Each structure stands twice: as structure tokens, then as C-alpha cells.
Amino acid sequence: MNYKISKIIKILISIILIIIIGSIMYKLLKMNINSKDIQSYVSSFGKLAPLVYIIMFALVPLTLFPDSVLAIGGGLIFGLAKGYIYTLIGALIGASLSFYISRKLGRNFVKKLTKEKLDGIESMINSKGFFFVLMLRLIPLFPFDIISYGAGLTSIKYKDFLFATIIGTIPGILVFTNIGAQSVNIGSNGFYMSIMALILLVIASIFLKNKFISFYKK
């Protein structure tokens, strides 16, 4: 009897989770791409807002919603410190989800999902896994989710992929969440510094991308 009750409870919890995740995913797919809509939606959950935000970020690989816009929304809602932590947690869950989808379901499924050619990223990561994932993460111009999907098709160990992701995403997450956090004080020195940091990040990304591509072609 206890076994049957336990099984029923697990089924009910699973159904509830599926409904919650499904509704959040639907909202992401239908949501306008701006941080104000994200703020309004996430804040409406009150104390559950951090959990909803983390789930939203974790589902980005399945919806391909712009993660930079979501990160700005996180900074706007929670501030820099909490926004960074929640974004990092969500990004790591999302990256892990992409990684294992590729590893379990294979190249053909991922290509249909992303509509992207992953051969270049796959071959780069296969040669020096940790190094290339780290470098790609440091360059926001390379799509976050495509890197994760591509890595899942290679022989890289998950722990190397995860560690490289944690380190490599520090600059990008900090810059985008800081923009969100400072956007409540438009015109302040902090706001202009956050915009300057974004400009520097883009310039550095272009430089690193060109260097990275030239290095890879050697």
C-alpha cells in the first residue's frame, strides 16, 4: 500500500513539474524579447521568482531565447550579486541539458533542433576539449547553446565541460547582469560604466574571435 501511495505521489509531482516547466517554456516562446517583460513575468511569482528565473534560463537551449536579454532581466530583477548567482545556476543547468541532449540523442536530432552546422565547433572541441570550450565561452559572439550542443557530440568529459563553462562565462554574465542592475539608475555613473563594460566586452570578443579563428586555421 505504501509503495502504491509513494508511486502515486511521484507521478503527481512529475505531472506538476511538467506543467510548470511547460508553462514557463510556452511563456518564453511567446514572450517579447525585452527585459521589462521578463521582469514583469518573473516578479509576479513573488518569493518563487528566483526559482522561476533559474528554470527560464535552464530552458533557453530548448527555446533558443536570447540568453543575454534574459541575463539583463536577471540583473534588473535581482541586482548584480543575486542576478549573477541565479544566472550562473540557470546557465549551468541549461548547458548541461544541451550537453546531454547531444550526447544521448545524437547529431541529427541536434541539427534539427538548432538548425546550425556544428561540425566546426565539434572538431575544435575534440582536439583540446577544456581549452576550446573555455575560449569559446569567453567569446560571447559564439552562441552559448550551440557550444553546449557541439560539446555533447565530442569526447570531452562532462566535468571539463562544466568547469570550462563556469570560468568562461564569468565576464559575460557579470557584464549583462550589471547592465540590468544599473538600468534602474539610467544616467548615473554606474549605468554609463556598465555600458562601457559592454562595449569593451564586444571589442574584446571580436579580437578574441579573430585570434581564435586564425589560431584554429593554423
Side-chain angles (χ1 to χ4, degrees):
M1 185 69 178
N2 288 335
Y3 172 75
K4 287 184 177 180
I5 293 173
S6 177
K7 191 172 182 180
I8 291 171
I9 291 173
K10 287 179 181 179
I11 292 172
L12 288 174
I13 291 173
S14 298
I15 292 172
I16 292 169
L17 287 173
I18 290 170
I19 292 171
I20 292 171
I21 291 172
S23 63
I24 293 174
M25 185 182 295
Y26 176 80
K27 184 65 179 180
L28 268 175
L29 290 169
K30 295 294 183 180
M31 186 179 290
N32 293 325
I33 302 176
N34 65 74
S35 54
K36 288 292 184 182
D37 279 0
I38 295 169
Q39 180 190 26
S40 176
Y41 176 69
V42 174
S43 297
S44 68
F45 288 89
K47 292 182 179 180
L48 292 177
L51 178 60
V52 171
Y53 175 76
I54 289 170
I55 293 174
M56 287 178 72
F57 220 103
L59 293 176
V60 163
L62 299 178
T63 61
L64 299 181
F65 189 90
D67 46 21
S68 57
V69 176
L70 200 52
I72 292 172
L76 181 62
I77 301 163
F78 305 109
L80 178 57
K82 290 182 178 179
Y84 174 83
I85 293 170
Y86 298 150
T87 300
L88 178 62
I89 293 170
L92 292 178
I93 295 172
S96 301
L97 179 63
S98 307
F99 182 88
Y100 279 109
I101 284 175
S102 288
R103 188 145 289 186
K104 298 298 181 182
L105 300 181
R107 183 180 289 102
N108 291 334
F109 178 85
V110 172
K111 282 186 176 180
K112 289 178 182 177
L113 182 64
T114 63
K115 297 180 175 60
E116 295 275 353
K117 293 182 179 179
L118 301 172
D119 298 340
I121 290 176
E122 186 182 347
S123 59
M124 280 189 283
I125 297 174
N126 256 326
S127 57
K128 291 183 179 179
F130 177 86
F131 172 76
F132 278 117
V133 171
L134 177 60
M135 290 298 102
L136 289 169
R137 292 301 194 203
L138 286 170
I139 306 172
L141 295 179
F142 280 104
F144 185 91
D145 302 317
I146 302 304
I147 297 168
S148 303
Y149 282 121
L153 298 174
T154 71
S155 58
I156 186 175
K157 293 180 180 178
Y158 173 69
K159 64 178 182 179
D160 292 336
F161 166 78
L162 190 66
F163 191 45
T165 297
I166 292 172
I167 298 173
T169 55
I170 290 173
I173 293 178
L174 277 175
V175 167
F176 286 114
T177 52
N178 189 43
I179 288 175
Q182 297 299 330
S183 64
V184 296
N185 297 309
I186 295 176
S188 66
N189 290 336
F191 175 75
Y192 289 122
M193 287 178 67
S194 71
I195 297 300
M196 183 62 68
L198 176 61
I199 294 171
L200 290 174
L201 179 67
V202 172
I203 293 172
S205 296
I206 294 171
F207 175 78
L208 285 172
K209 184 178 181 181
N210 292 334
K211 286 288 184 181
F212 188 80
I213 291 174
S214 62
F215 172 79
Y216 177 69
K217 287 181 177 178
K218 289 181 180 179

